[in-house]
Amino acid sequence: MTSPNLLILYVENALESARFYKTIFGAAPLIQSPGFVSLRFDNGLGLGLWATSSPEFVSGGTGHRGEIAIVVDDDAQIDRLHEEWSAAGVAIEQPPFTAAFGRTFVALDPDGHRIRVCPPDK
């Protein structure tokens, strides 16, 4: 079976976005150029940040239609991440609340991509 192992976000400034993701995830870039930055996390997932101003970028789509989700073990971790990210100046779109699936909050990256922190599916 083939499994996805890389997410790519379209961003205005790849280097600025890389600094943001390094702040919240602690991952240093593997590849870094003005037009594209690649990060890899301990779990093997990669995140590509592709600048829409790059000459290699071509897309007819617009807008943000998804979220990056970070599944954590318990409500205390959710609240701790919210506090840490807020203190680091990360924009919070939805502060912690309890949804149908459990406690959650949503942060925004510099381009408005949603980053949800939530509990595992049960």
Side-chain angles (χ1 to χ4, degrees), residues 67 82 85 91-97 104-108 113-117:
E67 299 178 344
H82 174 260
W85 291 4
I92 303 297
E93 184 176 53
Q94 287 182 301
F97 71 101
T104 186
F105 76 92
V106 177
L108 299 175
H113 296 106
R114 294 166 55 92
I115 305 163
R116 180 177 300 281
V117 180

Side-chain angles (χ1 to χ4, degrees), residues 15-102:
L15 299 175
E16 178 185 332
S17 291
R19 284 189 292 277
F20 171 83
Y21 283 103
K22 184 173 189 215
T23 296
I24 68 169
F25 295 137
L30 295 175
I31 298 169
Q32 185 168 312
S33 74
F36 185 81
V37 176
S38 177
L39 306 167
R40 176 105 22 223
F41 304 107
D42 291 343
N43 64 0
L45 179 67
L47 177 63
L49 304 167
W50 200 341
T52 54
S53 60
S54 170
E56 294 89 18
F57 178 81
V58 177
S59 175
T62 60
H64 307 295
R65 304 267 191 275
E67 299 178 344
I68 294 173
I70 302 163
V71 177
V72 299
D73 292 330
D74 59 47
D75 291 355
Q77 283 184 288
I78 291 167
D79 291 335
R80 182 181 52 77
L81 280 175
H82 174 260
E83 289 174 15
E84 287 176 10
W85 291 4
S86 294
V90 174
I92 303 297
E93 184 176 53
Q94 287 182 301
F97 71 101
T98 302
F101 51 85

